[in-house]
């Protein structure tokens, strides 16, 4: 057995504690590599006043300051006096965390079923559009105030889940009954979703006075509310209610996968499809339902984006669906791990804004640093996934 295969098998069989240690080591290594990149870039760049000098050579960027802003700046510098846990940067970090929980869970469910759902972005688009249309339509007949919120918010989430679920079931049905590769079909369905949404909005749903391709604003009662007293400011576009809802989804999906018969079908299909069929699992039904559930979770994410962040649907949604793939891989396709991985992404997102405001480092270089961190932290789990699923390694799970 080659040394690489032995190392890969050791990684596949790593316990939960060992995997956390590997992720922490990867994060530390990514910071060291990133600091070297910032240092070299600071030597090459030109600036009026260098941050510091080494052997008489001016360095424009301070790596320590950059990474301090990237992590502590993302939370509004809690080490400094006068810090509030409800500041704008914390709100951005938690807002992104909330959205990525849904797309990360969507990808994780399909992965656990042995399916690679690349179409989370398209399902997110249709979920967002359905939520906006449903709440705008129902807003005309819904009461105002708290009663309207109780009616409109669940309606918007349900509309997003149904739209995303149906769109996710489509590639599932094509694979189950037509033998189509779900990777190819979901990629193509992403483009179809974006273009269909553009045509629908620009042709039928866009207000006449609008200069952008977008729907009308949803009713005020349809916005996911802030928590009274301890809530964030409305301008922050974040609600603790939405975050608590996302955590409830994590718990629900974890329970479904671990404790229910449908979860058993998903897990056994993902581990060994032939063995699952031998034990009585309906492979075609499981494929369609798994993709439908995955799409429904993505659709709810799109609905939350409308109901909490934008207050309307507009084209050009952020790449939350594609980021969800990395979140799921980083979490080892574990629903509980998705929460932690989504928070890391949220911090990096908020930290990017902090670095952009507080330093002279180009935003392109900050994106490189963020990419390095994601690459280093996700790569061990990616190799673990490849070794376990495609090379048949592992089987000695240790606590």
């Amino acid at each position: 057995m080659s040394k690489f295969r032995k190392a890969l098998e050791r990684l596949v069989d790593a316990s939960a504690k060992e995997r956390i240690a590997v992720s922490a080591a990867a994060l530390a290594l990514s910071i060291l590599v990133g600091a070297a990149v910032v240092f070299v870039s600071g030597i090459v760049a030109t600036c009026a006043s260098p941050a510091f000098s080494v052997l008489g050579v001016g360095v424009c960027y301070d790596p320590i300051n950059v990474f301090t802003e990237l992590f502590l700046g993302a939370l509004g510098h809690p080490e400094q006096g006068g810090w509030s846990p409800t500041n704008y940067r914390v709100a951005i970090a938690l807002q992104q965390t909330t959205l990525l929980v849904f797309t990360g869970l969507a990808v994780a469910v399909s992965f656990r079923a042995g399916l690679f759902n690349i179409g989370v972005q398209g399902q997110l688009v249709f979920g967002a559009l359905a939520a906006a249309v449903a709440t705008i339509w129902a807003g005309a007949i819904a009461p105002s105030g708290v009663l309207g919120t109780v009616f409109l918010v669940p309606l918007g989430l349900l509309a997003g889940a149904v739209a995303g679920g149906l769109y996710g079931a489509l590639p599932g049905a094509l694979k189950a009954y037509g033998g189509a590769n779900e990777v190819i079909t979901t990629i193509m369905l992403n483009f179809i979703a974006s273009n269909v949404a553009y045509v629908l909005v620009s042709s039928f749903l866009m207000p006449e006075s609008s200069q952008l391709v977008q729907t009308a604003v949803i009713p005020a009662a349809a916005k996911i509310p802030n928590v009274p007293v301890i809530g964030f400011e409305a301008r922050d576009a974040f609600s603790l209610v939405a975050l608590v809802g996302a955590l409830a989804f994590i718990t629900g999906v974890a329970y479904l996968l671990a404790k229910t018969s449908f979860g058993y079908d998903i897990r056994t299909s993902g581990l060994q499809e032939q063995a699952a069929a031998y034990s009585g699992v309906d492979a075609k039904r499981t494929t369609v339902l798994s993709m439908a559930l995955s799409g429904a979770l993505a659709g709810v994410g799109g609905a939350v984006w409308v109901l909490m962040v934008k207050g309307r649907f507009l084209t050009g949604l952020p790449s939350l669906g594609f980021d969800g793939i990395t979140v799921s891989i980083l979490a080892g396709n574990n629903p509980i791990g998705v929460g932690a991985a989504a928070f890391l992404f949220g911090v990096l997102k908020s930290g990017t804004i902090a670095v952009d405001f507080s330093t002279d480092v180009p935003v392109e270089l900050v994106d490189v640093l963020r990419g390095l961190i994601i690459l280093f932290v996700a790569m061990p789990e990616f190799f673990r996934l490849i070794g376990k699923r495609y090379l048949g390694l592992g089987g000695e799970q240790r606590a």
Side-chain angles (χ1 to χ4, degrees):
M1 185 180 290
S2 66
K3 291 183 178 179
F4 176 75
R5 190 177 179 86
K6 285 184 178 179
L8 196 58
E9 188 166 22
R10 179 74 180 85
L11 184 62
V12 171
D13 284 333
S15 66
K17 292 180 180 178
E18 289 171 334
R19 289 165 61 189
I20 292 174
V22 169
S23 296
L27 177 62
L29 184 59
S30 70
I31 292 174
L32 289 176
V33 174
V37 172
V38 172
F39 179 76
V40 173
S41 300
I43 294 176
V44 176
T46 55
C47 54
S49 56
F52 63 96
S53 298
V54 177
L55 301 177
V57 178
V59 182
C60 293
Y61 312 136
D62 182 352
I64 296 177
N65 185 39
V66 169
F67 279 96
T68 299
E69 287 297 325
L70 189 59
F71 289 105
L72 296 181
L75 303 176
H77 286 290
E79 81 281 10
Q80 298 177 358
W83 179 78
S84 168
T86 58
N87 68 70
Y88 171 74
R89 290 177 179 175
V90 172
I92 293 298
L94 295 181
Q95 178 207 92
Q96 294 297 311
T97 300
T98 303
L99 296 170
L100 288 170
V101 161
F102 292 107
T103 56
L105 285 176
V107 178
V109 166
S110 64
F111 261 132
R112 295 293 290 269
L115 304 166
F116 201 2
N117 183 9
I118 307 289
V120 171
Q121 184 69 21
Q123 294 143 21
L124 180 101
V125 169
F126 273 153
L129 180 58
V133 172
T135 51
I136 291 172
W137 172 78
I141 58 174
S144 59
V146 177
L147 286 178
T149 299
V150 171
F151 173 66
L152 291 175
V153 170
L155 176 67
L157 296 175
L158 179 63
V162 171
L166 291 175
Y167 205 58
L170 179 59
L174 291 173
K175 179 179 179 62
Y177 298 101
N181 187 302
E182 82 278 9
V183 176
I184 303 300
T185 55
T186 51
I187 288 175
M188 299 306 295
L189 287 170
N190 279 335
F191 294 106
I192 293 172
S194 298
N195 287 291
V196 168
Y198 183 91
V199 171
L200 288 175
V201 175
S202 61
S203 302
F204 306 107
L205 303 172
M206 191 171 73
E208 293 183 359
S209 59
S210 177
Q211 301 297 315
L212 300 174
V213 181
Q214 60 185 2
T215 65
V217 177
I218 64 174
K223 293 277 287 184
I224 300 177
N226 284 343
V227 177
V229 182
I230 63 171
F232 288 76
E233 297 290 337
R235 59 177 171 76
D236 295 336
F238 168 69
S239 168
L240 281 173
V241 175
L243 178 60
V244 171
L247 297 177
F249 269 86
I250 288 176
T251 305
V253 172
Y255 179 84
L256 181 144
L257 291 176
K259 301 294 184 181
T260 67
S261 58
F262 180 52
Y264 172 81
D265 292 349
I266 290 177
R267 288 185 287 111
T268 52
S269 297
L271 291 173
Q272 179 51 260
E273 185 177 350
Q274 292 180 339
Y278 183 77
S279 63
V281 175
D282 187 334
K284 293 181 179 179
R285 174 177 171 273
T286 303
T287 297
V288 176
L289 292 180
S290 300
M291 289 296 288
L293 176 59
S294 176
L297 289 166
V300 172
V304 172
W305 183 75
V306 168
L307 304 180
M308 181 181 73
V309 181
K310 290 297 181 182
R312 68 184 75 190
F313 176 86
L314 65 164
T315 56
L317 272 72
S319 59
L320 295 165
F322 298 112
D323 290 342
I325 297 173
T326 312
V327 167
S328 181
I329 292 175
L330 179 58
N333 304 320
N334 185 312
I336 304 299
V338 164
F343 181 67
L344 174 62
F345 267 67
V347 168
L348 292 177
K349 179 72 175 180
S350 180
T352 300
I353 298 173
V355 173
D356 189 31
F357 274 103
S358 305
T359 72
D360 295 327
V361 175
V363 65
E364 293 82 4
L365 179 56
V366 181
D367 288 339
V368 170
L369 300 179
R370 191 170 63 170
L372 277 174
I373 293 172
I374 294 171
L375 178 67
F376 272 65
V377 177
M379 197 52 66
E381 285 298 330
F382 177 75
F383 278 119
R384 185 173 178 273
L385 175 69
I386 295 296
K388 187 175 183 180
R389 178 156 300 171
Y390 299 105
L391 300 181
L393 300 177
E396 299 177 3
Q397 298 291 339
R398 289 168 290 139

